[in-house]
Amino acid sequence: MSVSLNPLSSTFGVEATGVDLAGPVAAEDLSALQAALTDRLVMVVRKQNLTPEQYLDAARLFGDLMPQHLTKILMPEHPEIAVLDSRQSDKDTAGKAIPTGSRNWHTDHTNHARPPKITMLYAVKLPSKGGDTSFANMQAAYAGLPPAEQEKLNPLITVNVIEQDTGNVGDDARQALTKAPQRHPLIRTHPETGKKAIYVHPGKTERIDGMEPEESRAFVQDLLARAIQPDMTYRHTWQPGDLVLWDNRATLHIAHRDYDAAEGRIMHRVILEGDVPF
Ligand code: OGA
Ligand code: MN
């Protein structure tokens, strides 16, 4: 086996080195990578140099490609890849580019009936400083709650809709997605490991079933503020050539916006098909 796997923090995250996803990947390396991602939830594969075709082939090693609803920023020849380029992003009132990525903890695309199981970002260009991405292990966050609170949370359902203010979603995609609000369990069971995790996108949660929207917002905010402890987070400082995969079923992530968007931070983003959450 040529791949080396090193933990990135005590509870989750793993770094893979010594593997080139541009070429054929040896069967034992592939199964080691797949097992590491399932177990560690976030995987950083270092020093990759991938054409879009090679990137998509590498993504298929981990699942089926899922169409993206960020239809305004798709790569024309390869629409399975969304190009997150901070120089193209929305401008604030002073005309300054707003860095891409949500400023709040979230999991991706809960407004879908079958949200993506995995999101992948490939670092193509990085700003001179800043622009990290942080991750939180939501299995550990759930496990850290008192059992009586876990009992109360287990039956709750979130009602998910697309946000109004995401500029990268084209009109057709928005129309298709605004039709039906999607109901998902707040506490989700991982289909491969059976572990439970807090599963929520605060920006897309219109309400928790049985609560008013205002009350829901405060409830989710309070829950995440208590459940996400520093010990169960990992902050990724990007290196050129990093390919990062995260499990949306068991982690939340947040983009740090402490960089100059005009310098250009370019990520190639791919998502993989997931199941109906249970
Ligand atoms: C995403 C996302 C964060 C980042 O692609 O879903 O949240 O740091 N990205 O770019
Ligand atoms: Mn995201």
Side-chain angles (χ1 to χ4, degrees), residues 105-107 109-111 156-164 181-186 198-209 211-221 224 252:
W105 288 107
H106 68 283
T107 182
H109 307 328
T110 56
N111 54 301
L156 297 183
I157 299 290
T158 60
V159 180
N160 294 266
V161 294
I162 186 133
E163 303 107 308
Q164 289 312 303
Q182 296 298 329
R183 299 165 58 84
H184 297 308
L186 176 66
I198 302 171
Y199 181 69
V200 68
H201 186 320
K204 290 193 163 84
T205 304
E206 184 188 62
R207 61 194 160 80
I208 289 176
D209 199 17
M211 289 185 200
E212 292 301 319
E214 199 88 331
E215 184 190 359
S216 294
R217 255 191 298 280
F219 182 89
V220 171
Q221 226 169 33
L224 294 186
L252 298 187

Side-chain angles (χ1 to χ4, degrees), residues 84 100-102 106 108 119 121 132-133 246 253 255 265 269:
L84 310 183
T100 37
S102 173
H106 68 283
D108 287 334
T119 301
L121 287 184
D132 295 356
T133 308
W246 66 82
H253 59 278
R265 175 185 189 265
R269 180 181 195 266

